[in-house]
């Protein structure tokens, strides 16, 4: 989550929640003390290893009470590899909101073309001399194929347990 906050800060985008100690609590959440910040225009779900009911509840309030608030996911990875095995990925973090809202977020990460469009806007490269290396067929490799890039699947991460 801190990485996402760093990226938003570098782009000059204000944010709240995330690593804020007030949101990193196991205390019960109540609407009695909650007020929507009118400046919030999007709920962004990424890999959050400190996910809790307060964060889900606040996100749900923004998405249901502000019609213009966008529901965005950084990526849809169901899992991610750790040194000791697979753990839930960013896609699993957005799952409670997907279920509660009955809708999917806009995905800005792999395999969405949005991510490649952002890369193209900042880095000029020759697609014919560019290769995407990844360990997931459904995100990394699909991202490369959708963007017209060469791809290389490495047998680690998600596919390692299958070997």
């Amino acid at each position: 989550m801190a990485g996402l906050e760093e990226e938003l800060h570098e782009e000059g985008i204000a944010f709240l929640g995330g690593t804020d100690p007030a949101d990193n609590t196991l205390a019960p959440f109540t609407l009695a003390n909650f007020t929507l910040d009118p400046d919030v225009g999007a709920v962004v779900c990424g890999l959050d290893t400190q996910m809790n009911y307060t964060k889900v509840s606040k996100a749900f309030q923004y998405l249901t009470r502000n019609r213009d608030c966008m529901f965005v996911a950084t990526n849809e990875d169901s899992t991610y590899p750790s040194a000791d095995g697979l753990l839930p990925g960013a896609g699993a973090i957005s799952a409670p909101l997907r279920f509660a809202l009955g809708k999917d977020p806009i995905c800005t990460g792999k395999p969405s073309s949005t991510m490649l469009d952002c890369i193209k806007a900042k880095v000029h490269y020759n697609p014919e001399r560019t290769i995407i290396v990844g360990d997931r067929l459904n995100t990394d490799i699909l991202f490369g194929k959708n963007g017209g890039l060469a791809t290389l699947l490495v047998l680690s991460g998600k596919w390692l347990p299958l070997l």
Side-chain angles (χ1 to χ4, degrees):
M1 187 56 51
L4 177 57
E5 290 177 348
E6 289 171 18
E7 292 290 328
L8 291 170
H9 179 73
E10 288 176 13
E11 293 298 323
I13 300 171
F15 58 89
L16 53 85
T19 59
D20 183 343
D23 290 332
N24 287 289
T25 178
L26 295 179
F29 178 78
T30 175
L31 291 171
N33 300 322
F34 178 72
T35 304
L36 289 180
D37 180 332
D39 293 329
V40 171
V43 169
V44 181
C45 292
L47 181 61
D48 185 348
T49 60
Q50 296 181 350
M51 190 64 174
N52 62 47
Y53 192 73
T54 294
K55 291 178 181 182
V56 172
S57 297
K58 286 182 176 183
F60 181 79
Q61 294 306 309
Y62 280 105
L63 292 166
T64 56
R65 293 168 52 187
N66 178 351
R67 292 180 190 212
D68 296 327
C69 189
M70 297 176 62
F71 182 24
V72 179
T74 60
N75 69 70
E76 296 182 325
D77 289 352
S78 57
T79 59
Y80 83 94
S82 75
D84 299 314
L86 290 177
L87 293 171
I93 300 303
S94 65
L97 286 171
R98 290 174 186 227
F99 186 75
L101 296 166
K103 70 177 188 178
D104 291 333
I106 298 165
C107 181
T108 58
K110 300 175 293 181
S112 169
S113 62
T114 303
M115 183 179 200
L116 191 56
D117 292 342
C118 291
I119 293 169
K120 286 178 184 176
K122 287 194 168 211
V123 179
H124 299 289
Y125 64 90
N126 180 350
E128 293 176 4
R129 296 182 44 88
T130 304
I131 187 168
I132 297 294
V133 179
D135 63 357
R136 290 178 164 274
L137 289 170
N138 64 337
T139 56
D140 304 326
I141 302 306
L142 185 57
F143 175 69
K145 292 292 183 192
N146 288 345
L149 307 173
T151 60
L152 174 66
L153 177 67
V154 294
L155 298 177
S156 62
K158 181 175 172 93
W159 306 110
L160 188 59
L162 301 177
L163 296 178

